[in-house]
Amino acid sequence: MAVEHNIEPLSHAQNTVNTSMTSSWFSHSSDLLIQYSINIFLALCILLVGTFLVKFIHKGVVNLLETKSVDSAVVQFISSFIRYALLVMVFIAALNSIGVAMTGVIAVLASASLAVGLALKGSLSNFASGVLIVLFRPFKSKDFIEVGKVSGTVQAIEIFHTVLTTGDNKMVAIPNRLVMSQPIVNFSKHKIRRINFEIRVSYDADLQKTKQVLAGVLKSEERILSLPAPTIGVLALANSSINIAVRPWVKSEEYWKVYYDTLQAIKEELDKEGIQIPFPQMDIHIK
């Protein structure tokens, strides 16, 4: 009976210890849950507030650059770069608030930088080429350019692409590295351009009269500039025609309008004067 009497107090004490440990575990778990909840809530607040601030700063940068008369294509490139950089900083701050050690994140990023660099080699090249475009400015927004076999009006210089709108209103996004690795023809760089006509007339035509007719057409077109003076001269004695070079100068923005109207006027005036424009002919003899 004495042994049985001694066992009961021991069992009671053990139950007391277990209850205390369970209570302590629940208390600790509750504290951790509250702490993590607070950290997650703080991270969400940082993301929300940070995203709002990034938008505000982005808009402020755009307005500042526009007041400085910076080209709109350059404005878009710079503002996009700043926006993405700030978003990365906000994301890192949110991770830090949760308790993720930044030294570990930086170490992981450093160790993965080589692999990421190799995987994103083309993208990094496009970004670097975009920086070169912004620095050297071979063209600006609204310029009409030709890159390789693509021509169009520059709409934007983005981080990885240059966006053009073609003459038939198609959007073309050209990787920046391809833009910088090919010849760029900028048709809008200078205020005036020269139209290159090559008019072919018959060998029977009076060359002096023909040149006078062509000079009269150019003089009657008010949009053709007097300085530099137009050039008219015999370009080549071809197989079936005499080729005459007609080189008037016009304002760049009026190039195509003057081109179409002047070419039509030349044809009409040559017909009036009886000056023949030769065309390919074939004689068939049947026996």
Side-chain angles (χ1 to χ4, degrees):
M1 294 298 294
V3 174
E4 292 178 359
H5 179 73
N6 291 336
I7 290 175
E8 283 186 9
L10 181 60
S11 176
H12 178 71
Q14 187 174 3
N15 289 337
T16 302
V17 171
N18 290 339
T19 303
S20 177
M21 291 178 62
T22 303
S23 177
S24 176
W25 181 83
F26 276 113
S27 177
H28 181 67
S29 299
S30 178
D31 291 341
L32 288 177
L33 181 61
I34 293 173
Q35 184 63 43
Y36 280 126
S37 299
I38 293 175
N39 290 344
I40 292 174
F41 177 76
L42 181 60
L44 292 175
C45 290
I46 290 175
L47 288 174
L48 291 175
V49 176
T51 302
F52 173 78
L53 290 176
V54 168
K55 291 181 179 179
F56 179 78
I57 295 173
H58 176 264
K59 186 176 181 180
V61 170
V62 170
N63 292 335
L64 177 63
L65 294 175
E66 287 179 347
T67 56
K68 299 295 183 180
S69 300
V70 179
D71 182 63
S72 60
V74 177
V75 170
Q76 185 166 357
F77 181 87
I78 295 175
S79 61
S80 297
F81 175 75
I82 292 175
R83 177 172 176 268
Y84 289 122
L86 291 176
L87 286 175
V88 170
M89 294 174 62
V90 170
F91 182 72
I92 291 175
L95 288 178
N96 191 31
S97 67
I98 296 177
V100 178
M102 287 299 99
T103 54
V105 174
I106 294 173
V108 172
L109 291 176
S111 61
S113 60
L114 179 59
V116 172
L118 293 174
L120 301 178
K121 182 179 179 181
S123 298
L124 294 176
S125 177
N126 288 329
F127 173 75
S129 298
V131 173
L132 293 177
I133 293 173
V134 171
L135 289 177
F136 295 104
R137 300 187 67 185
F139 52 81
K140 62 182 186 298
S141 178
K142 306 305 177 184
D143 279 356
F144 189 86
I145 67 171
E146 181 179 275
V147 179
K149 296 182 179 180
V150 180
S151 59
T153 303
V154 178
Q155 298 299 325
I157 303 172
E158 298 180 351
I159 293 180
F160 301 117
H161 296 86
T162 295
V163 180
L164 304 181
T165 298
T166 62
D168 54 352
N169 203 31
K170 292 186 294 187
M171 189 275 285
V172 180
I174 307 175
N176 288 331
R177 60 187 175 86
L178 294 182
V179 175
M180 292 301 294
S181 63
Q182 300 183 78
I184 301 172
V185 181
N186 190 336
F187 297 96
S188 305
K189 181 67 174 180
H190 302 295
K191 294 182 179 180
I192 62 174
R193 288 179 61 191
R194 190 183 72 182
I195 301 177
N196 297 328
F197 292 118
E198 185 174 332
I199 308 301
R200 300 182 179 185
V201 298
S202 170
Y203 271 95
D204 296 332
D206 185 335
L207 289 182
Q208 293 300 325
K209 181 180 178 181
T210 302
K211 293 171 69 174
Q212 290 175 3
V213 171
L214 295 174
V217 172
L218 299 184
K219 188 175 181 180
S220 63
E221 175 54 67
E222 297 179 352
R223 292 169 295 182
I224 291 178
L225 303 176
S226 57
L227 291 175
T231 301
I232 301 175
V234 176
L235 182 65
L237 302 176
N239 291 333
S240 59
S241 66
I242 298 176
N243 300 346
I244 300 178
V246 181
R247 307 285 190 257
W249 289 84
V250 298
K251 294 180 180 179
S252 296
E253 63 270 18
E254 296 179 342
Y255 180 92
W256 286 110
K257 294 179 181 178
V258 178
Y259 182 97
Y260 297 140
D261 294 344
T262 304
L263 191 59
Q264 179 177 338
I266 288 174
K267 173 64 169 65
E268 293 173 350
E269 289 300 317
L270 291 178
D271 288 344
K272 287 181 182 179
E273 298 297 329
I275 300 173
Q276 183 181 6
I277 298 177
F279 53 89
Q281 300 181 45
M282 180 181 294
D283 294 334
I284 300 177
H285 303 275
I286 300 176
K287 295 184 179 179

